[in-house]
Amino acid sequence: MGTGKRGLIATAVTVIGAVAVLAAPATAFAAPSPTPTPSPTASQTPVTTKDLEAVRERLDALYHDAAVATDAYNAAEEKARQQSAQIVALAKKIVQGQEKLRKLKARAGAAAAAQYRTNGLPDEAQLILSDNPQEFLDATGRVLQGQRATKALIAELTQTQQDLKQYADDASAQWTKLEAGRKANAAAKKKVEQQIAAAEQLESQLEEREKERLAELEEQAAQRAQSAWLDSGILDEIDGKASEAGKIAVRYATAQIGKPYEWGAEGPHSYDCSGLTSQAWASAGKPIPRTSQEQWKQLKHVDIKDMRPGDLIIYFDDASHVAMYLGEGAIVHAPRPGRTVTLAGAGSMPILGVVRPDA
């Protein structure tokens, strides 16, 4: 391809393909030694469509990997929120248990003080010494009541102490899980940032006119996929009507059109793909899992021909992307970094399946 601009683009694609995780963007496009020095005339060598297709495919791969890492990050974030909530709940139980234990001990102390006031004789001894029939009967009742109360008090004290120990053990276990989740979260975050940095570095090698051509190639690829999907006749079979909740979710999602994609974001100013779909359905009073992979795992699957507006289309074999179906073969989704929430063709990406949040 030569040592001009085409050579630099080719080198960039090759190096980023070989190094999926970058330590520093500055080294991402280091050329093999010895470094070629493009001549002034060679630098004007035009980048061919084939070159840009290679860039497009590499960008798709990088952003796909970033989407997978984003899902892992979101899952770790969601789990951390749940574990934090459980720790808070356990802490409240511990405080309540400690207060209950204090009151129980106070009751036990009061019983001991009452025994002291009767010269230290237990009710049983006083019963034996009584020579008054009525007092004897009254004392008999008090002895039985006292025995039951003492037994219940001891049982309650024991149970409360056991509960406090269990709450403390549970809180410690949740804290350990939370710390492990934070590490997983940090690793996923680093992976996302590295993949996006690699993609941005690759795009930065292009001039404006080449970026425009690249955008055209991306659009053409999406149109080809959408046309192939429509040519299958699938749209003739899809005529489902949105549920009331689905209509609310669709209104929410479409109202976000134009807002930027931001990985890990769930509104209101920016979104990633599953952040958009989860918040849209939350607005309809139907909370769903935070990530596209969990949405695929947990929500009811429906056949493509049976889908209706508001249903979620899951894309790619690893369920790394999700969009909301609007009807007439269209979706709304948050595509990837550098893009905004937008409309697209439902068949513009490889469909894994369809799920229904309000089945």
Side-chain angles (χ1 to χ4, degrees), residues 26-59:
T27 62
F29 294 93
S33 181
T35 303
T37 303
S39 66
T41 55
S43 65
Q44 303 304 315
T45 304
V47 176
T48 67
T49 297
K50 183 178 179 180
D51 297 330
L52 288 175
E53 278 290 353
V55 171
R56 183 185 67 79
E57 290 174 3
R58 186 60 199 145
L59 285 173

Side-chain angles (χ1 to χ4, degrees), residues 139-327:
T140 300
R142 287 197 303 273
V143 167
L144 293 174
Q145 291 175 357
Q147 288 175 339
R148 286 195 292 267
T150 300
K151 185 177 181 180
L153 178 60
I154 291 173
E156 197 169 2
L157 273 166
T158 302
Q159 185 61 54
T160 301
Q161 289 172 326
Q162 290 175 346
D163 288 345
L164 279 170
K165 183 179 184 305
Q166 187 62 55
Y167 295 153
D169 290 345
D170 290 348
S172 177
Q174 289 298 332
W175 185 261
T176 300
K177 290 179 182 178
L178 182 61
E179 286 301 301
R182 285 174 176 165
K183 291 179 181 178
N185 182 298
K189 180 179 180 180
K190 183 178 180 181
K191 182 71 177 292
V192 176
E193 292 172 341
Q194 289 170 334
Q195 296 295 334
I196 293 175
E200 290 174 344
Q201 184 76 335
L202 179 54
E203 288 183 290
S204 73
Q205 300 298 306
L206 302 175
E207 296 177 1
E208 282 305 313
R209 65 178 182 278
E210 291 161 350
K211 291 179 181 178
E212 291 172 2
R213 288 175 60 198
L214 179 62
E216 291 174 0
L217 291 174
E218 291 174 347
E219 180 62 25
Q220 289 169 8
Q223 288 177 355
R224 284 196 301 272
Q226 175 71 353
S227 294
W229 185 70
L230 293 176
D231 289 345
S232 70
I234 186 64
L235 202 57
D236 296 334
E237 302 181 55
I238 302 173
D239 61 356
K241 305 299 181 184
S243 65
E244 290 305 311
K247 291 176 183 178
I248 295 172
V250 165
R251 282 198 296 270
Y252 181 98
T254 53
Q256 313 314 310
I257 290 174
K259 293 184 179 180
Y261 177 102
E262 181 182 355
W263 67 269
E266 46 190 332
H269 305 298
S270 57
Y271 297 87
D272 62 20
C273 67
S274 57
L276 177 66
T277 54
S278 61
Q279 287 303 304
W281 273 100
S283 75
K286 301 285 184 179
I288 63 174
R290 170 65 178 86
T291 70
S292 59
Q293 292 176 343
E294 288 304 310
Q295 288 170 8
W296 174 243
K297 288 178 184 177
Q298 297 185 35
L299 300 180
K300 179 178 175 59
H301 291 203
V302 297
D303 195 282
I304 291 179
K305 65 181 178 60
D306 296 323
M307 69 179 174
R308 65 192 187 193
D311 286 349
L312 305 181
I313 303 180
I314 309 296
Y315 292 96
F316 304 107
D317 290 342
D318 52 8
S320 57
H321 190 68
V322 60
M324 179 176 291
Y325 184 62
L326 300 179

Side-chain angles (χ1 to χ4, degrees), residues 7-30:
L8 290 175
I9 295 295
T11 300
V13 173
T14 302
V15 172
I16 292 184
V19 186
V21 177
L22 304 176
T27 62
F29 294 93

